Amino acid sequence: MADGTSEQRMAPCTSVSLVMNVESERKPRHGVVSAAAPHCPGKPEGPQQHGGKVKQLRVLLLDEECEEFEVETFTDFASPQQKSTGKVLLGCICHHLRLVEEDYFGVEFTNRHGNMVWLDPLKPIFKQIRGVKNVLFQFVVKFFPPDPGQLQEEQTRYLFVQQLKRDLVSRRLVCNDNSAALILSLIIQAEVGNFDEDLDQTHLRSKIYFPTQELLSHKIMKFHQKLFGLTSAECDSRLLETARKLDMYGIRLHPANDGEGTLINLAISHMGILVFQGKIKINTFNWAKIRKLSFKKKYFLIKLHSNIFTSSRKDSLEFLMESRDTCKHFWKTCVEYHAFFRLPEEPRSKAKPFLYSRGSCFRYR
């Protein structure tokens, strides 16, 4: 996409300079260990030309465990190849988790302006976190496919479920009572096993998965009775199939104002850019309908193809966001989503850009 023309999906980790500070690796819940798991990069062999200090980076994983990874920092005179980039940290986390399908995941952190942003895989880590004290990285699902059934690895599906559990408790994943009860019954079957009324009640009292789960306990147990014999892996698959049908599946809301000053929320999904009124979806701009995306200061601009609007409808839409930084971050995420779901191969020529930003250049690999 453009002055930001997007390219192919994120490449696997190839950098060195990072080693894990974890001797015993955490095994996945289902015991899945793939022989194809990427090799965790170690310290460079031989003497260092510029030398570097070792710093520990804290990463919060999807099971709420916090792990520390050692990263070597280099002087400003070090070559770009020596500097530890974001993909080095992501690659080592994936190695630690024995995760093969790492393209769906990302690392985020709170920057010095107090905004949650993605760690750029191609830029040096310490340049991105400059000015941030006691930074805590979070390993999360970044790209939600329309059909989670396409996920090949059991470990990947397990991590997706962990992300959805986090989204449920934080109310990011909004659903009605029936959907919530069905999802929670699948979680209990995966974690506890076959239905036992006393065991179910004890488990629901000890763990909070949904803010109003106490009111749904009867319905949850009714669903749980029907899941007899399902394995944890089968529960994960059913849960993902249920969750993907929800409007808020994989959605992060970004506050904005439309051209009339009405408070709305923008979001990005595999299909394009979504507009929400509160948490109700009111409009969708598919990637195929969009001719250009850009931002100017606080304004995020969408230009549509001329053949999909009438004379009474504008071909250009403008949304006001909180700041230029939040606007640019949202635009970059749009570039990444478009690249991930619409550009399976790297563009071979410098054709006229599909999406671009005025005064800013960004290419996503």
Side-chain angles (χ1 to χ4, degrees):
M1 296 178 190
D3 274 293
T5 298
S6 299
E7 303 184 2
Q8 62 190 18
R9 295 186 181 182
M10 195 182 307
C13 175
T14 56
S15 302
V16 292
S17 338
L18 185 149
V19 293
M20 292 190 302
N21 191 32
V22 184
E23 294 181 358
S24 58
E25 294 169 341
R26 188 174 62 88
K27 295 182 179 180
R29 182 191 64 189
H30 304 306
V32 177
V33 178
S34 173
H39 173 67
C40 181
K43 292 183 179 180
E45 297 181 1
Q48 295 296 312
Q49 294 181 350
H50 301 284
K53 296 180 179 179
V54 174
K55 287 193 68 174
Q56 291 185 334
L57 298 181
R58 295 183 302 139
V59 180
L60 182 66
L61 303 178
L62 283 166
D63 60 1
E64 305 301 330
E65 289 187 9
C66 191
E67 298 286 353
E68 290 187 345
F69 299 91
E70 289 185 349
V71 180
E72 281 201 89
T73 63
F74 295 92
T75 66
D76 292 337
F77 299 103
S79 65
Q81 290 77 16
Q82 285 184 304
K83 295 181 179 179
S84 297
T85 58
K87 69 179 179 180
V88 176
L89 178 59
L90 177 62
C92 203
I93 296 170
C94 292
H95 174 83
H96 173 63
L97 296 174
R98 289 290 190 261
L99 177 62
V100 177
E101 297 174 284
E102 60 185 73
D103 289 354
Y104 295 103
F105 299 84
V107 178
E108 61 182 358
F109 67 99
T110 304
N111 66 11
R112 64 178 181 274
H113 302 296
N115 300 319
M116 188 67 78
V117 297
W118 294 107
L119 184 69
D120 193 316
L122 301 181
K123 293 182 180 179
I125 297 172
F126 296 99
K127 183 177 180 181
Q128 298 182 65
I129 63 174
R130 189 171 294 164
V132 183
K133 295 181 178 180
N134 301 320
V135 62
L136 176 65
F137 295 98
Q138 295 190 45
F139 177 75
V140 296
V141 176
K142 186 173 186 178
F143 301 109
F144 288 80
D147 181 10
Q150 295 176 349
L151 300 174
Q152 300 298 312
E153 296 284 328
E154 186 179 327
Q155 172 71 345
T156 310
R157 293 190 290 271
Y158 166 66
L159 292 173
F160 264 72
V161 169
Q162 298 306 302
Q163 179 68 64
L164 293 175
K165 285 164 61 176
R166 182 183 289 185
D167 292 347
L168 267 176
V169 74
S170 66
R171 298 307 295 267
R172 178 182 286 174
L173 180 61
V174 178
C175 54
N176 58 37
D177 288 350
N178 277 337
S179 296
L182 176 56
I183 289 173
L184 294 188
S185 68
L186 288 164
I187 292 173
I188 294 174
Q189 175 69 20
E191 295 186 351
V192 177
N194 294 326
F195 174 77
D196 180 285
E197 185 173 354
D198 293 336
L199 196 58
D200 279 20
Q201 290 178 343
T202 301
H203 192 72
L204 286 172
R205 284 195 296 267
S206 63
K207 286 191 175 183
I208 302 298
Y209 298 104
F210 193 69
T212 59
Q213 72 181 39
E214 186 177 349
L215 302 176
L216 302 175
S217 59
H218 178 72
K219 189 173 292 188
I220 293 169
M221 289 188 285
K222 187 177 180 180
F223 278 126
H224 190 194
Q225 287 177 310
K226 301 176 182 179
L227 302 178
F228 184 87
L230 282 187
T231 65
S232 296
E234 291 170 333
C235 289
D236 288 350
S237 296
R238 287 200 185 186
L239 191 155
L240 292 173
E241 180 62 26
T242 302
R244 78 179 183 91
K245 299 174 183 178
L246 303 174
D247 283 345
M248 298 299 291
Y249 163 73
I251 293 300
R252 292 186 176 209
L253 299 178
H254 301 260
N257 286 285
D258 63 12
E260 299 176 355
T262 304
L263 181 63
I264 52 94
N265 289 302
L266 298 176
I268 317 162
S269 76
H270 64 92
M271 66 179 68
I273 299 174
L274 314 178
V275 182
F276 286 80
Q277 190 93 54
K279 292 191 176 181
I280 300 175
K281 185 169 62 175
I282 60 174
N283 210 343
T284 301
F285 299 102
N286 292 327
W287 296 123
K289 296 179 180 180
I290 298 174
R291 178 168 63 87
K292 183 192 298 183
L293 292 180
S294 60
F295 71 93
K296 185 178 181 180
K297 296 183 179 179
K298 297 181 181 181
Y299 290 92
F300 179 73
L301 308 172
I302 302 176
K303 286 195 174 182
L304 306 174
H305 285 291
S306 57
N307 61 344
I308 60 113
F309 61 88
T310 65
S311 58
S312 61
R313 182 176 176 182
K314 294 181 180 180
D315 69 334
S316 182
L317 303 170
E318 189 175 273
F319 300 93
L320 177 64
M321 305 192 80
E322 181 183 5
S323 67
R324 182 185 182 279
D325 286 340
T326 56
C327 192
K328 182 177 180 180
H329 177 254
F330 181 73
W331 170 79
K332 285 183 67 174
T333 308
C334 289
V335 173
E336 294 170 341
Y337 263 75
H338 177 265
F340 191 87
F341 290 108
R342 298 280 291 184
L343 298 179
E345 295 182 359
E346 181 177 350
R348 297 182 179 180
S349 62
K350 295 183 179 179
K352 185 176 180 180
F354 177 77
L355 302 178
Y356 79 104
S357 165
R358 301 173 183 176
S360 184
C361 179
F362 174 64
R363 299 176 70 85
Y364 178 70
R365 295 182 182 273

